[in-house]
Amino acid sequence: MEIENKIVSAVVLGIKTLYGQDIAPETVQLQKTKKEFAGHLTLVVFPFLKISRKKPEDTAQELGHFLKTEIPSVVADFNAVKGFLNLVIAPASWIGLLTDIHQDAQFGLTEATDLSPLVMIEYSSPNTNKPLHLGHVRNNLLGCALANIMAANGNRVVKTNIVNDRGIHICKSMLAWLKYGNGATPESTGIKGDHLIGDYYVAFDKHYKEQIKELMEEGMSEEEAKNEAPLIKEAREMLVKWENNDPEVRALWRKMNEWVYAGFDVTYKALGVSFDKIYYESETYLEGKEKVLEGLDKGLFFRKEDGSVWADLTPEGLDEKLLLRSDGTSVYMTQDIGTAKLRFRDYPIDKMIYVVGNEQNYHFQVLSILLDKLGFEWGKDLVHFSYGMVELPNGKMKSREGTVVDADDLVAEMIGSARKMSEDKINKLTDLGEDEANEIARIVGLGALKYFILKVDARKNMLFNPAESIDFNGNTGPFIQYTYARIRSILRKASEAGISIPETLSAQTDLSEKEISLIQMLADFPNVVKQAGSDYNPSCIANYCYDLVKEYNQFYHDFSILHEEDENKKTFRLVLSAEISKIIRTGMGLLGIEVPERM
Ligand code: ARG
């Protein structure tokens, strides 16, 4: 920020003038002044004591005097506490800073150019045998927020998804549908396609368990029964047919996957999640096989007696890793190698980020080594954005499967609660039409869900508490959204009263410490965005928004805006409010959270 740059230059000049030495600007450390002292920015003078050869306090005093004389428009006053020089910044500088923010619609955001690094972010990555659940919700929200944050840091971003659309699990759903489905379709039943398929996956499991039980009653061991049950054998046969391109099996597979994708699309749309490029495991696993065989030829991997192919990772301190089974079929890792190959072919990737739960930490550690061995430039530094589990407080909102929280149910439930809350509210927005009320409920319900999940450090396990998340008080999405709507309402009233918002502000305005603190917080936004990007940490944006809103609400409580008599102050407070609302919208936007104009 402008203010800091001016101080840094003046300090460099001050050291030269007072003590005759040149210093590098990087050695000048400024920090926010601690609450207990007067001032806004604090210069740490300890690094300069060797040069000044004076006591910390004296050095601070001398530098303080120098700054106050040299840049009076910036440094209005100072006080020295040991080696800390607390600087009081002149009101005009804060007003100048707010004006800069006001005139920059993209404040805090860095646009990418054709030369910017290309970051590919993979998230979601569901299997096609069941609908999305709460774990996927966390995954999708984190992935989307991360994509926005990387883009805001000047990267070119490609959002991608790898759908696991083949394998024994999908054969189980297909088989159960053939046996028990009587030709049911999403149209004939009115059931969303992904839920329909999920229902047959559950049906398979139920019948399979019955068969196991029967076989065990006939004297088989559990392991044997699991292996010998007719249903599982049929499913395996189906998988072989699928791999051999059996036309009937493939046609059924395509049909049922289409149902699932149509269902996923509805969920993604509801969540506000999208992708630039979707990969399918059915199209990548053979590529993976090829790549592994290539590696085998190059001596990177080895073959065991039974014909299976392995990577020896013992030199890396890991174990041996299976890449192709003895029958030549591929495993999960093979698919990921194939997907990497296609992605690299399609895009000049500089950085690859995989948003995948922490139960796969080992998988990605191995993948990174394998990709590196296979010559993928980004392999070694691939980022596994590893996140923790999310659960509901006991027993609530369980889905049909009994243990998993369904994403669609969850979203519907959140929007329903938001709708109910606004109906119960005392100061209802009575002039709202049905459509607008629904739209606000959608924004608020989703905002509650998204914010509650994103404010938590991604690595931590968490409980999603629906009731807490939608509370209008506290560190919640609706609290922030409400403050946004309140500011927008003030701005509407101002405009109705014919008060326009100017491009620039009068420098002759007195500011309170609260107002200065708000400008200082606004000015910090670009740093927060940078930090979120370099740490891959959406939660720091969330917590910043909360702190900003909390501070603004105190200001709103203590100061009048439209009723302020002093015109300069009134205008200043309107601009300040408008900029707060802009940064709330931008910050929440980075998290994929919308903000309502009224609420
Ligand atoms: N479909 C996998 C699962 O449900 C997750 C895939 C994660 N991404 C990857 N590139 N391996 O466990």
Side-chain angles (χ1 to χ4, degrees):
M1 88 189 186
E2 189 73 358
I3 294 176
E4 288 180 12
N5 292 339
K6 284 186 184 154
I7 296 174
V8 170
S9 308
V11 170
V12 172
L13 182 66
I15 300 280
K16 176 86 184 163
T17 312
L18 295 167
Y19 314 118
Q21 271 223 33
D22 289 308
I23 55 160
E26 300 79 60
T27 57
V28 181
Q29 297 171 37
L30 283 172
Q31 54 198 37
K32 240 181 135 165
T33 303
K34 294 216 173 79
K35 278 224 165 21
E36 56 268 37
F37 302 117
H40 305 110
L41 289 171
T42 296
L43 175 74
V44 188
V45 303
F46 294 109
F48 312 128
L49 298 183
K50 268 205 199 115
I51 301 172
S52 71
R53 294 167 180 279
K54 293 195 170 145
K55 283 195 215 136
E57 189 107 26
D58 296 342
T59 308
Q61 283 288 345
E62 288 182 350
L63 275 170
H65 279 294
F66 182 86
L67 294 177
K68 198 176 160 182
T69 324
E70 180 67 23
I71 44 170
S73 65
V74 179
V75 175
D77 209 347
F78 68 91
N79 61 83
V81 180
K82 302 209 178 92
F84 297 96
L85 172 57
N86 303 319
L87 303 171
V88 177
I89 306 303
S93 278
W94 292 121
I95 290 174
L97 182 56
L98 182 63
T99 308
D100 291 345
I101 296 172
H102 178 47
Q103 291 172 354
D104 183 356
Q106 300 294 313
F107 183 68
L109 310 178
T110 308
E111 225 170 293
T113 68
D114 291 348
L115 300 174
S116 300
L118 189 135
V119 179
M120 181 178 265
I121 303 185
E122 181 210 285
Y123 57 93
S124 205
S125 305
N127 303 340
T128 54
N129 61 322
K130 51 185 171 212
L132 305 185
H133 54 68
L134 180 57
H136 290 111
V137 171
R138 190 176 194 188
N139 179 308
N140 281 290
L141 298 183
L142 285 169
C144 234
L146 205 55
N148 293 335
I149 291 166
M150 296 311 283
N153 277 289
N155 295 291
R156 287 181 294 156
V157 171
V158 177
K159 300 186 283 184
T160 184
N161 186 348
I162 171 79
V163 180
N164 182 354
D165 62 342
R166 61 168 280 280
I168 195 74
H169 55 286
I170 180 70
C171 288
K172 289 178 181 175
S173 293
M174 284 158 62
L175 192 62
W177 183 82
L178 281 176
K179 284 185 179 298
Y180 322 116
N182 295 317
T185 67
E187 292 75 33
S188 75
T189 56
I191 299 176
K192 205 165 156 272
D194 50 338
H195 289 184
L196 189 69
I197 301 292
D199 290 345
Y200 288 103
Y201 189 70
V202 174
F204 177 93
D205 209 49
K206 190 180 126 220
H207 288 96
Y208 178 38
K209 284 205 176 106
E210 282 165 12
Q211 290 185 348
I212 294 172
K213 197 168 157 237
E214 274 166 34
L215 290 175
M216 284 170 71
E217 277 162 9
E218 286 163 21
M220 261 190 202
S221 72
E222 185 178 351
E223 200 183 332
E224 219 179 333
K226 277 186 176 161
N227 216 3
E228 294 300 320
L231 267 176
I232 194 72
K233 283 183 161 170
E234 269 183 89
R236 281 194 212 116
E237 277 161 28
M238 199 175 213
L239 182 59
V240 173
K241 281 187 178 168
W242 183 92
E243 297 225 350
N244 292 332
N245 262 314
D246 178 279
E248 256 175 64
V249 171
R250 285 281 175 145
L252 177 64
W253 172 73
R254 266 192 297 275
K255 178 165 80 178
M256 291 181 71
N257 270 347
E258 285 314 315
W259 296 344
V260 172
Y261 298 142
F264 284 171
D265 280 349
V266 172
T267 311
Y268 286 142
K269 202 157 172 246
L271 281 173
V273 164
S274 64
F275 304 95
D276 301 310
K277 172 84 183 166
I278 299 185
Y279 291 89
Y280 298 92
E281 191 179 323
S282 59
E283 290 164 8
T284 70
Y285 82 106
L286 291 175
E287 302 281 347
K289 241 181 189 176
E290 212 172 277
K291 206 75 197 151
V292 168
L293 292 174
E294 230 177 271
L296 185 67
D297 276 350
K298 288 189 193 149
L300 298 172
F301 308 136
F302 70 98
R303 207 187 268 284
K304 288 198 177 170
E305 260 169 34
D306 66 355
S308 54
V309 179
W310 297 73
D312 180 13
L313 302 179
T314 47
E316 282 85 1
L318 306 175
D319 54 8
E320 291 180 348
K321 180 73 199 170
L322 176 69
L323 299 176
L324 292 176
R325 295 197 192 90
S326 57
D327 62 2
T329 57
S330 57
V331 294
Y332 181 45
M333 189 62 78
T334 331
Q335 168 272 117
D336 257 325
I337 293 171
T339 310
K341 175 181 162 187
L342 293 187
R343 284 173 171 162
F344 203 62
R345 183 199 66 192
D346 296 344
Y347 298 93
I349 300 173
D350 294 300
K351 186 185 280 300
M352 179 75 213
I353 304 178
Y354 295 88
V355 180
V356 182
N358 59 14
E359 70 279 4
Q360 297 195 23
N361 284 355
Y362 183 69
H363 175 80
F364 283 96
Q365 197 185 348
V366 171
L367 180 63
S368 168
I369 297 171
L370 294 178
L371 292 181
D372 184 47
K373 280 187 197 286
L374 287 165
F376 291 91
E377 267 165 54
W378 48 264
K380 196 156 165 258
D381 298 319
L382 72 79
V383 177
H384 173 206
F385 181 93
S386 165
Y387 63 90
M389 232 168 53
V390 49
E391 284 174 315
L392 288 187
N394 276 346
K396 271 195 209 150
M397 283 206 282
K398 288 196 166 167
S399 79
R400 53 208 114 233
E401 270 177 84
T403 50
V404 178
V405 184
D406 179 76
D408 297 318
D409 291 353
L410 183 63
V411 168
E413 196 118 355
M414 293 305 299
I415 296 174
S417 325
R419 184 68 212 251
K420 182 146 188 329
M421 281 189 59
S422 72
E423 279 161 11
D424 295 348
K425 230 174 49 177
I426 309 164
N427 56 341
K428 274 184 229 166
L429 300 171
T430 40
D431 57 333
L432 284 187
E434 185 66 13
D435 286 351
E436 200 183 351
N438 285 337
E439 177 63 0
I440 293 174
R442 184 188 68 76
I443 292 175
V444 173
L446 276 170
L449 171 65
K450 293 183 178 188
Y451 184 84
F452 200 87
I453 288 183
L454 291 172
K455 75 172 177 178
V456 179
D457 179 343
R459 284 163 300 197
K460 292 196 176 130
N461 291 347
M462 67 173 289
L463 285 183
F464 173 67
N465 185 329
E468 203 181 305
S469 78
I470 206 157
D471 195 331
F472 279 32
N473 297 304
N475 188 357
T476 67
F479 171 65
I480 296 170
Q481 290 173 320
Y482 187 72
T483 306
Y484 176 81
R486 167 184 275 167
I487 299 177
R488 299 298 293 172
S489 147
I490 298 169
L491 297 173
R492 272 195 305 273
K493 279 193 194 131
S495 125
E496 282 159 18
I499 306 168
S500 62
I501 296 210
E503 278 287 293
T504 49
L505 283 164
S506 159
Q508 255 74 59
T509 315
D510 290 338
L511 300 182
S512 67
E513 281 306 316
K514 200 56 156 189
E515 289 164 322
I516 290 175
S517 154
L518 280 167
I519 300 176
Q520 208 169 359
M521 283 181 96
L522 282 178
D524 207 25
F525 182 60
N527 299 329
V528 175
V529 174
K530 274 200 199 85
Q531 183 90 44
S534 55
D535 296 353
Y536 308 117
N537 183 3
S539 76
C540 80
I541 304 258
N543 291 303
Y544 168 84
C545 288
Y546 176 59
D547 291 340
L548 183 66
V549 159
K550 246 191 339 195
E551 191 78 359
Y552 181 79
N553 281 329
Q554 288 170 12
F555 160 75
Y556 179 80
H557 184 262
D558 294 343
F559 294 79
S560 45
I561 301 175
L562 292 174
H563 294 296
E564 170 59 47
E565 312 260 290
D566 181 319
E567 285 302 318
N568 274 347
K569 279 191 186 168
K570 188 199 285 189
T571 313
F572 166 82
R573 287 179 192 161
L574 276 173
V575 170
L576 178 63
S577 300
E579 291 315 300
I580 302 270
S581 73
K582 179 176 91 187
I583 297 306
I584 297 174
R585 188 174 56 234
T586 309
M588 294 291 264
L590 290 177
L591 301 176
I593 301 175
E594 294 169 74
V595 282
E597 293 301 307
R598 321 208 288 164
M599 175 173 165

